Amino acid sequence: MATEAARGRAHVPRKRRAEEEAWWQSAPWWVGIIIAVMVAMGLKLLFDEDYDLAWSNIIPGVWITIRSTIYIFIIALVLGLLAGLGQVSNNVVARNIARAYVELVRGIPILPLIFTLALVIIPDLSAAVGAENSVPNDWRAILALALIYGAYMAEIFRGGIQSIARGQTEAGRSLGLSRRQTMRSVVMPQAARSIIPPIANDFIAILKDTSLLSVVGVLEITRRTRQYSASSFKFTEAFFTMTFIYLALVLALSTLLTFFESWMTRDRAGER
Amino acid sequence: MSMISVQGLHKTFNKTIHAVQGVDMTVEEGEVVVIVGPSGCGKSTMLRCINLLEVPTDGEVAIDGVDLMDKKTDLDLVRAEVGMVFQGFNLFPHLTVIDNVMLAQKKVRKRSKEDAEAEARRQLARVGIPEKADSYPRQLSGGQQQRVAIARSLAMGPKVMLFDEPTSALDPEMIKEVLDVMLELANDGMTMVVVTHEMGFARAAADRVVFMDEGRIVETGTPEQIFSNPQEDRTKLFLSQIL
């Protein structure tokens, strides 16, 4: 103290206190960064002829990507629900088939599994039931990825269902509701809260993973990009255009899903 | 014919834990039976065997003459006639109070929305909280939630009501409001089996008190006999510890 006073400095107590963040610390700069990247790419596409050429070669794949995403999501959702319910079923056969399906798929990387399903298992199966070559190539690929994501979603459904306390089922059954009625009216509506966010997440993951379908010849965005870049040697233009399109699609879908989620949870202030 | 008949009931968990070891019990129509005993004595398991929420390992269970152990018996039909109130209330948190009370009426009893709602409001008034119809369960106190759970069971028009430690999860000041509802129900002539630690309730409402220990019935009698003049040493020891 004495030395401080001697130096002409007042003693400032070092007191701990909560500090409000300044506006520039809490501002969402990342949105600005993403918008800047998107705008830069957009300008390139508008004013650079090489980019414009890449764009017009790749863009027909967008519709195939979107269509595949929707088909895969819907099929995977149904498979996931069935396999998820199967895993919590009392039926020994259903439970073991569902469990085997989920564990098999989860034990194999996506890319090798797409090859195996789309090029071997699905064609062989259709041949075995006497309908050789009945599944077109695009659909073999779509079914392959749907089977894979079905298993991932099964785990989401199972987890959601099992997160609901046993007492809820007991209360339903003790009122005379059947197993099915209890599942539909008591367990599922509550499980939906924890199921919807990860399912939405998988929707976006499916959109991105449709790029893997390029390896079995589906003419989606990635496949068209590789074809165009290989024939024109405009790798930079082609790959930047491709990433721009994917980013735009993913941002659009995730915005859509955010709205959907808040709509699903609207007007339930009193609910847990 | 007895309303509830339990004969030679055994329940074993994981082949090793013998929770109920040969219980015989009958409950007549309009009778109120209170089951007491130390923790882990099998009284809750026994109660849960009455509506087959736990399937007995061995023995006979019949309600109003219907054999529940017969595989041909539709348990859902029987359970609609047997109300059950849980320690943890188990209200459906995603539904409002009125919807909680209406759900099973519509799905099981196939009542119209109007009929179910009228009955629900009648039962909510009976348990003293008609004004909470549009609240969600979590907005209610524990005592209110338990009264809704009772109304939810009563709305089905049950022949029997089972209570599994209905006040054990409640704050002390809320126990009375639930016991009052149960007392009124007993006075209205409902057939009731109640597992509880509330000896005051047993004295006031019970026609018969059953003392259980280690999965068996040790002693049965009127509240007067059990509380004032117990015969078995085990009963005396238990009562000396809690009274």
Side-chain angles (χ1 to χ4, degrees):
Chain A
M1 283 295 276
T3 51
E4 267 178 333
R7 287 191 202 127
R9 250 194 276 152
H11 171 69
V12 182
R14 289 164 59 80
K15 194 165 179 231
R16 198 183 292 281
R17 68 160 68 112
E19 279 178 38
E20 296 282 322
E21 273 193 337
W23 69 268
W24 59 269
Q25 282 175 306
S26 53
W29 293 107
W30 60 273
V31 175
I33 296 170
I34 290 176
I35 290 174
V37 169
M38 298 292 281
V39 168
M41 284 298 304
L43 288 174
K44 271 281 186 205
L45 287 171
L46 278 175
F47 298 113
D48 189 316
E49 263 181 45
D50 282 338
Y51 278 88
D52 193 43
L53 199 57
W55 170 270
S56 51
N57 271 281
I58 296 168
I59 210 71
V62 170
W63 170 236
I64 295 178
T65 292
I66 292 175
R67 205 188 52 180
S68 306
T69 303
I70 294 170
Y71 287 150
I72 292 166
F73 178 72
I74 292 170
I75 299 169
L77 200 63
V78 174
L79 281 173
L81 181 61
L82 288 176
L85 287 170
Q87 287 189 86
V88 298
S89 163
N90 274 352
N91 184 313
V92 179
V93 178
R95 202 169 57 222
N96 283 287
I97 289 176
R99 189 87 225 142
Y101 162 53
V102 170
E103 293 299 333
L104 276 173
V105 170
R106 293 207 311 163
I108 305 167
I110 293 189
L111 192 53
L113 193 50
I114 287 177
F115 280 130
T116 314
L117 282 168
L119 302 181
V120 181
I121 295 179
I122 294 173
D124 283 3
L125 271 182
S126 59
V129 297
E132 206 158 349
N133 298 325
S134 62
V135 187
N137 185 52
D138 278 17
W139 271 98
R140 291 205 295 253
I142 286 170
L143 286 176
L145 202 52
L147 278 164
I148 292 167
Y149 269 92
Y152 297 167
M153 288 189 188
E155 284 295 273
I156 297 174
F157 279 107
R158 181 185 62 81
I161 290 166
Q162 288 181 336
S163 74
I164 303 305
R166 213 179 125 74
Q168 290 291 312
T169 309
E170 290 183 348
R173 298 307 306 278
S174 76
L175 286 164
L177 295 171
S178 65
R179 262 183 77 85
R180 185 184 291 261
Q181 286 172 327
T182 306
M183 189 55 85
R184 265 189 61 168
S185 304
V186 177
V187 177
M188 271 305 184
Q190 296 182 61
R193 310 211 103 202
S194 57
I195 287 174
I196 288 172
I199 290 285
N201 211 35
D202 269 6
F203 200 165
I204 294 169
I206 288 171
L207 170 58
K208 291 190 281 189
D209 280 352
T210 52
S211 59
L212 296 170
L213 303 187
S214 64
V215 299
V216 285
V218 179
L219 285 170
E220 43 65 73
I221 296 170
T222 308
R223 179 78 178 183
R224 282 178 194 270
T225 302
R226 293 184 41 115
Q227 282 181 344
Y228 172 71
S229 60
S231 60
S232 68
F233 295 103
K234 303 276 186 198
F235 290 99
T236 313
E237 291 82 356
F239 285 0
F240 271 131
T241 303
M242 172 183 72
T243 50
F244 172 78
I245 293 172
Y246 274 123
L247 185 59
L249 287 176
V250 169
L251 289 177
L253 180 60
S254 65
T255 309
L256 215 65
L257 289 172
T258 308
F259 281 123
F260 174 72
E261 275 179 56
S262 58
W263 176 77
M264 280 298 291
T265 53
R266 76 202 180 283
D267 189 30
R268 290 186 179 175
E271 194 187 322
R272 179 160 48 199
Chain B
M1 186 179 9
S2 305
M3 184 56 89
I4 301 173
S5 166
V6 174
Q7 300 300 327
L9 186 74
H10 285 263
K11 176 64 185 179
T12 311
F13 292 104
N14 298 330
K15 293 185 177 166
T16 50
I17 303 156
H18 210 156
V20 180
Q21 314 185 14
V23 164
D24 301 310
M25 189 177 83
T26 56
V27 180
E28 303 304 320
E29 189 173 352
E31 200 178 13
V32 177
V33 174
V34 172
I35 304 175
V36 299
S39 299
C41 73
K43 53 192 192 302
S44 281
T45 305
M46 206 276 278
L47 191 76
R48 290 159 60 85
C49 282
I50 293 178
N51 66 353
L52 254 65
L53 222 46
E54 301 290 355
V55 181
T57 314
D58 192 21
E60 299 299 325
V61 179
I63 291 180
D64 204 17
V66 179
D67 178 5
L68 300 202
M69 297 299 277
D70 185 341
K71 280 195 171 174
K72 288 198 209 86
T73 302
D74 184 347
L75 287 180
D76 295 332
L77 287 178
V78 179
R79 289 196 182 113
E81 309 288 337
V82 182
M84 184 152 202
V85 177
F86 300 87
Q87 180 175 348
F89 326 136
N90 295 348
L91 293 182
F92 306 133
H94 61 299
L95 299 177
T96 58
V97 163
I98 191 95
D99 286 335
N100 262 275
V101 184
M102 287 167 62
L103 179 67
Q105 292 191 66
K106 289 189 292 187
K107 301 270 178 196
V108 181
R109 292 284 190 229
K110 309 290 180 203
R111 286 180 192 150
S112 69
K113 191 176 177 297
E114 292 72 28
D115 290 353
E117 187 174 341
E119 176 64 16
R121 294 203 184 277
R122 202 159 35 241
Q123 295 301 342
L124 286 175
R126 189 175 178 185
V127 300
I129 38 173
E131 76 281 4
K132 295 292 185 188
D134 297 317
S135 302
Y136 280 93
R138 70 182 296 252
Q139 296 169 317
L140 272 53
S141 72
Q144 290 170 332
Q145 288 192 48
Q146 192 61 297
R147 286 188 281 157
V148 172
I150 293 172
R152 181 173 68 176
S153 285
L154 290 177
M156 299 295 286
K159 294 175 183 165
V160 179
M161 285 287 285
L162 308 176
F163 294 84
D164 188 5
E165 305 201 25
T167 58
S168 296
L170 294 177
D171 292 336
E173 74 267 29
M174 292 163 190
I175 290 176
K176 186 172 180 299
E177 65 187 57
V178 172
L179 292 181
D180 284 348
V181 169
M182 290 168 61
L183 210 55
E184 207 168 296
L185 205 54
N187 290 334
D188 288 349
M190 176 63 75
T191 309
M192 292 164 63
V193 182
V194 185
V195 169
T196 186
H197 296 290
E198 293 296 326
M199 299 303 150
F201 174 80
R203 275 184 201 278
D207 296 306
R208 196 147 48 94
V209 175
V210 172
F211 174 68
M212 280 184 73
D213 191 25
E214 294 180 348
R216 294 192 181 82
I217 292 177
V218 175
E219 194 169 351
T220 303
T222 62
E224 186 66 18
Q225 286 167 344
I226 296 289
F227 293 122
S228 307
N229 187 24
Q231 301 300 308
E232 302 289 333
D233 289 343
R234 188 67 194 87
T235 317
K236 288 174 190 164
L237 180 66
F238 175 72
L239 291 172
S240 71
Q241 281 163 339
I242 61 155
L243 291 178

